[in-house]
Amino acid sequence: MNMRYIVLSLACVLASSVVTVAQTTQKFQATKANDYGLVYSLPTTVLDVTVVAERVVKRPGEFYMYAKKYLNVSDPVSEPSESWTVKKVIVNARGVANGGERYLMQFKGGTAPYVVMDNADLPVAINTEDVVLPEAPVLPEPVGLSSTPLDTEAARYVISEEMLQSQSSAKRAELAAKRIYELRQSRSDLITGQADQMPPDGTAMQIVMDQIGAQEAALTAMFVGTEQRETAVKTFTYIPHDEVTRYVLARVSALDGIVDSDDLSGDPITLSLNITDRGKMPVNDKGETKEFPKGGVAYCIPGAASVKISFRGETCWEGSMDVAQYGIVFGLDPKMFTDKKAPAYLLLDPVTGAIKELGTK
């Protein structure tokens, strides 16, 4: 008898009481009401690929041509530019219920085994509520572009009347550089206690130091330019099937940041996948393939794959993982879960459907 059982309505078979184990799990009992049978799906492994991209906006300062002469800066921002690049890729595997096939666990009458399901309707345990579910990954938060690259209040203070009146950019640059060195000297005097007028306390000292720092930064930006950054975060889901060498997950546009794979304005973020192992049917002591037990509790013997995410020729993420799709489904004898002396318990991996732990209570 084939224990794979296609059903139209899971609710019709699980017509028993539901007991909440935790916010993320539910407990289903095998009782007479459902003919001591429980129907469930095993997972399909999917990959959530989170792309963290950074935008850099650069603007030249008014005196960039004099940066080397006055500040000994050889690489100031000389022209405006905007660019996006991939800073980080995070890959998380999770399981989703394969609704196309469901499996029937058939127990003998008069017993009361139970199955614990997670929020994705996947079995995670039998005969035990001691379940530790995978934690959701902690993803970076998007960070918007700052509203202004400079402290405009500080900039008003550092532009002297002489600088405003001068018609020569060279002269204005000279005056700005002179003011930078004056500010640095003032900071040094405050730190060493040699200033003519020292702040009365630590709080006042910090305020003065902050003002000096803001004014120096505003003047320095006139030579070296400004740079603003923002971060975008977007997640794409990929379902592994066959091996691939260059699947385009998404793209990164120089103007729009992370865009969909069909937006040809961006450079592609590609995924390559190589199947490194396929699940094999278990064999007995004679090397013969075991038969699926009658009414067996189906689980997955997963395969494995290596995955690499690339952008502009550089590897952003690389790793190996177990994948349910590259494995096979086998079963455990349901009698072990209804043994009156030592009933078995089972923990399943919700990502692959593989056995994590099997023992007796």
Side-chain angles (χ1 to χ4, degrees):
M1 177 180 179
N2 187 353
M3 286 299 103
R4 296 184 181 183
Y5 194 75
I6 309 299
V7 295
L8 297 177
S9 174
L10 182 61
C12 293
V13 182
L14 300 179
S16 62
S17 60
V18 176
V19 180
T20 299
V21 176
Q23 282 189 336
T24 55
T25 60
Q26 287 184 316
K27 175 182 169 183
F28 296 89
Q29 197 90 35
T31 65
K32 184 177 181 180
N34 49 46
D35 293 329
Y36 301 97
L38 295 173
V39 176
Y40 62 100
S41 297
L42 287 177
T44 294
T45 304
V46 304
L47 306 182
D48 289 331
V49 181
T50 300
V51 178
V52 182
E54 183 182 59
R55 178 190 179 199
V56 179
V57 180
K58 296 182 178 181
R59 296 290 182 264
E62 180 183 353
F63 308 133
Y64 75 90
M65 292 184 295
Y66 305 98
K68 177 64 175 177
K69 179 179 179 180
Y70 291 116
L71 300 185
N72 197 30
V73 176
S74 58
D75 58 345
V77 178
S78 58
E79 59 183 29
S81 67
E82 294 187 19
S83 64
W84 281 90
T85 189
V86 174
K87 298 299 292 183
K88 187 177 183 180
V89 169
I90 302 167
V91 178
N92 179 60
R94 61 181 172 91
V96 296
N98 181 355
E101 283 189 326
R102 293 196 174 105
Y103 301 88
L104 172 65
M105 286 181 278
Q106 189 67 57
F107 302 103
K108 65 181 181 180
T111 63
Y114 61 89
V115 176
V116 177
M117 311 283 283
D118 68 6
N119 278 352
D121 292 329
L122 294 170
V124 293
I126 298 177
N127 281 354
T128 179
E129 299 176 30
D130 187 15
V131 178
V132 179
L133 297 178
E135 293 185 3
V138 178
L139 302 178
E141 292 288 338
V143 179
L145 197 69
S146 56
S147 58
T148 175
L150 288 176
D151 186 334
T152 54
E153 187 70 22
R156 284 198 292 269
Y157 279 108
V158 298
I159 300 175
S160 66
E161 183 179 352
E162 190 176 1
M163 289 176 62
L164 290 172
Q165 292 177 348
S166 176
Q167 299 299 312
S168 168
S169 61
K171 181 62 176 178
R172 292 196 301 274
E174 181 183 355
L175 293 169
K178 181 180 178 181
R179 181 58 180 153
I180 288 175
Y181 291 113
E182 289 174 351
L183 289 168
R184 291 177 180 176
Q185 185 61 51
S186 297
R187 181 192 294 110
S188 178
D189 291 344
L190 286 168
I191 293 173
T192 59
Q194 297 178 4
D196 293 336
Q197 187 175 357
M198 293 293 295
D201 54 39
T203 301
M205 178 74 161
Q206 187 61 54
I207 292 173
V208 173
M209 295 292 282
D210 290 344
Q211 290 175 347
I212 290 175
Q215 292 179 25
E216 182 184 349
L219 282 167
T220 303
M222 294 180 179
F223 291 90
V224 302
T226 62
E227 185 176 289
Q228 295 173 273
R229 296 174 183 268
E230 74 169 307
T231 302
V233 181
K234 193 169 183 179
T235 299
F236 301 86
T237 298
Y238 176 77
I239 303 176
H241 292 294
D242 299 327
E243 291 188 339
V244 293
T245 56
R246 198 175 182 275
Y247 176 84
V248 179
L249 277 171
R251 293 178 184 269
V252 177
S253 166
L255 295 179
D256 300 322
I258 306 172
V259 296
D260 291 335
S261 59
D262 57 357
D263 188 337
L264 301 183
S265 68
D267 295 332
I269 301 170
T270 60
L271 178 148
S272 63
L273 184 147
N274 180 45
I275 301 172
T276 57
D277 184 37
R278 291 188 180 273
K280 301 176 180 62
M281 291 289 287
V283 296
N284 58 24
D285 295 338
K286 298 180 181 180
E288 301 169 336
T289 300
K290 292 183 178 181
E291 294 185 1
F292 196 100
K294 183 179 180 180
V297 176
Y299 68 94
C300 180
I301 302 173
S306 61
V307 179
K308 182 168 71 173
I309 313 292
S310 304
F311 179 68
R312 292 176 182 166
E314 295 187 0
T315 300
C316 302
W317 187 92
E318 190 170 13
S320 299
M321 60 191 65
D322 291 338
V323 180
Q325 294 89 296
Y326 307 139
I328 55 96
V329 174
F330 197 64
L332 298 170
D333 190 337
K335 294 178 182 178
M336 66 173 65
F337 299 101
T338 57
D339 188 296
K340 293 183 178 181
K341 293 183 178 180
Y345 72 89
L346 173 68
L347 294 176
L348 291 171
D349 183 350
V351 177
T352 63
I355 294 176
K356 292 175 62 178
E357 185 176 330
L358 177 64
T360 55
K361 301 179 68 172

